[in-house]
Amino acid sequence: MSSSPSSSSSPPPTSGDTPPSNLPLKKIPGDYGLPLLGPIRDRYDYFYNQGKDKFFQSRIQKYNSTIFRTNMPPGPFIARNPNVIAVLDAVSFPVLFDTTKVEKKNVFEGTFFPSTAFTGGYRVCAYLDPSEPNHAVFKGWFLSLLAARHNKFIPLLQNSLSHLFTNVEAELSRNGKADFNTLSDNASFSYVFRLFCDRDPSDTRIGSDGSNLLSKWLFFQLAPLFTLGLKYLPNFLEDLLLHTFRLPFFPVKSGYEKLYEGFSTSASKILDEAEKLGMKRDEACHNLLYMSGFNSYAGMKVMFPGLIKWMATAGESLHRRLANEIRTVVKSEGGVTYSALAKMSLVKSVVYEALRIDPPVPFQYGHAKTDMVIHSHDAAFEIKKGEMIFGYQPCATKDGRVFENPEEFVGDRFVGDGEKLLKYVYWSNGRETDDPTTENKQCPAKDMVVLLGRVLLVEFFLRYDTLTAEVGTSLLASSVTITSLSKAKSTA
């Protein structure tokens, strides 16, 4: 049921940048429907009848509000309580980043918490609230690991991208087209493993199976949030298989053990350091594997095809501008360096725009720690302690009250004065203008992800002038099949 306005003499705290004055306090619209039936009805709308984007947009229109009550999948019987308050605008969404107001315990994947069997029996850092002591221990460790490897980010990625583009060209030559996703996934896993383990995964028991093993491990945890979109599989049967009961760990157990052994033996120096900091060695290894596999590899699995998709659809005019900026700066700086990347304003903008329009992790959740008032552009609403707050990032980062032509990919959106809008780019579980700390839940590799996107564009346009591709969707990412590449004249 909807909550009523608080009668307390001291009003609850508000969300947002600067709370607007004199906004009317309204009852949160929407409802959860009948027990069991309401969540199942919303689940079918979300996956089959409407699809996720129309699911949210239709309710925004129905309630004339970007804040409303609904159920989020998977619901029965995986999630004990699917009831959420959706916050779908740029003003209300940031409440989900404020860990003084929301608790982030066990909500990384939403209204359900996967079995810890997938993570060695431990609740890894992603599921910990910053109030839990281990959160600061592990996130601080992650931040120190990334800082120590700062000088490896660019050269290691250049090496991986060189192999990636060579393989893309070879597949194009053989078949007339190239499956970018598969080749990118392989390159991404190799990069992540070498970054943290200082070895090529092919020299370990993992061999060439790393990306496949991780993708299967990811699928078995995230299956309740997917639809396969198979025409020959009836909706009710897919719903029963994926959204009604959790998939067990045992089908991916041997693959996970192979990955764990690879990290355990190859990252021994890192794990030695973890033990010196007071961590249990096996818990540290499971956390390292999770950060490498879920946070890093999965992020690249989504981001790299997404960037190539937007490049393919943006057109040759943007390609020419990017190529000119990249080649001019690289020539003047004498290579691809941090200094060079900092001077590529268009490259930076394109990466930010891709993250805005197509964020790698589109969902955020948190339980209200106290009674509070949140506000949209037009009204204020009271949330009670314990209620689940949910945000769908593409709605917030396509807020038409903030961004002009929000559904359109605008490559130079964040150039010049456009940089002021970066505080509304929320892809990393925080504002782009904020930094990850042990006190918040912002992605520890936030800056690294942006850097990797820039290097991908730089290495691409140092080699090629333009491309064409067929684009679609897959379970986790955009599906990209490259159909042609035009080599840069200087390297042809």
Side-chain angles (χ1 to χ4, degrees), residues 153-470:
F153 292 168
I154 294 176
L156 278 179
L157 186 60
Q158 287 177 305
N159 181 267
S160 292
L161 291 175
S162 178
H163 289 293
L164 168 61
F165 293 134
T166 296
N167 290 333
V168 167
E169 289 183 29
E171 193 168 310
L172 262 175
S173 179
R174 287 194 306 269
N175 305 324
K177 57 184 180 180
D179 177 3
F180 181 81
N181 291 61
T182 298
L183 298 174
S184 175
D185 287 353
N186 291 335
S188 296
F189 178 77
S190 175
Y191 172 77
V192 170
F193 193 84
R194 288 188 298 145
L195 179 65
F196 293 111
C197 299
D198 297 314
R199 293 181 68 186
D200 193 294
S202 62
D203 296 330
T204 72
R205 187 182 167 209
I206 296 171
S208 61
D209 293 334
S211 63
N212 287 331
L213 295 175
L214 273 180
S215 294
K216 290 175 184 176
W217 174 72
L218 289 167
F219 173 77
F220 270 71
Q221 293 174 79
L222 296 173
L225 305 179
F226 290 143
T227 177
L228 299 175
L230 301 176
K231 295 181 180 179
Y232 58 81
L233 184 65
N235 291 343
F236 78 89
L237 185 56
E238 183 194 82
D239 193 61
L240 178 65
L241 293 173
L242 295 187
H243 310 138
T244 308
F245 305 101
R246 302 180 193 219
L247 295 183
F249 173 62
F250 72 83
V252 295
K253 180 180 179 181
S254 62
Y256 183 78
E257 289 176 346
K258 185 183 291 187
L259 289 166
Y260 178 86
E261 180 184 327
F263 277 86
S264 179
T265 56
S266 301
S268 57
K269 291 183 180 179
I270 289 177
L271 299 176
D272 289 342
E273 295 171 7
E275 283 192 298
K276 291 177 183 178
L277 294 172
M279 304 176 207
K280 291 192 290 185
R281 192 179 187 88
D282 66 330
E283 185 175 10
C285 190
H286 287 294
N287 270 274
L288 177 63
L289 176 47
Y290 195 91
M291 182 185 73
S292 301
F294 210 118
N295 303 123
S296 302
Y297 166 77
M300 296 169 73
K301 181 181 179 70
V302 175
M303 183 184 184
F304 281 3
L307 268 174
I308 296 300
K309 176 190 78 171
W310 292 115
M311 285 303 94
T313 57
E316 291 191 33
S317 175
L318 180 61
H319 298 173
R320 285 193 296 271
R321 293 172 62 197
L322 283 166
N324 180 65
E325 178 181 80
I326 289 165
R327 295 167 193 174
T328 299
V329 173
V330 169
K331 183 178 180 180
S332 66
E333 292 291 314
V336 182
T337 63
Y338 283 102
S339 174
L341 293 170
K343 295 180 179 179
M344 298 179 189
S345 58
L346 182 59
V347 170
K348 289 190 286 185
S349 178
V350 166
V351 173
Y352 289 139
E353 177 69 345
L355 292 169
R356 177 197 72 84
I357 201 169
D358 205 5
V361 180
F363 310 111
Q364 294 293 338
Y365 290 85
H367 284 107
K369 287 186 173 181
T370 184
D371 293 354
M372 71 176 81
V373 170
I374 65 171
H375 59 276
S376 63
H377 292 285
D378 304 309
F381 305 89
E382 187 175 17
I383 293 177
K384 291 294 187 180
K385 179 181 179 179
E387 292 190 295
M388 174 76 93
I389 307 172
F390 158 78
Y392 181 54
Q393 277 181 174
C395 283
T397 55
K398 296 177 188 176
D399 188 333
R401 305 275 283 270
V402 173
F403 295 104
E404 186 177 356
N405 301 320
E407 298 289 340
E408 180 182 346
F409 183 87
V410 180
D412 57 2
R413 187 184 295 275
F414 299 105
V415 173
D417 286 344
E419 287 189 14
K420 297 175 182 178
L421 293 173
L422 286 176
K423 68 178 181 177
Y424 298 109
V425 178
Y426 300 145
W427 70 272
S428 63
N429 197 7
R431 297 181 185 275
E432 180 54 39
T433 50
D434 293 339
D435 295 315
T437 70
T438 57
E439 289 78 34
N440 64 29
K441 291 298 292 183
Q442 190 163 30
C443 173
K446 168 224 171 190
D447 293 333
M448 172 184 163
V449 170
V450 174
L451 174 75
L452 299 185
R454 294 176 188 174
V455 175
L456 172 64
L457 292 181
V458 168
E459 292 299 313
F460 182 89
F461 284 106
L462 287 176
R463 289 171 170 79
Y464 311 106
D465 287 328
T466 189
L467 79 158
T468 61
E470 299 169 355

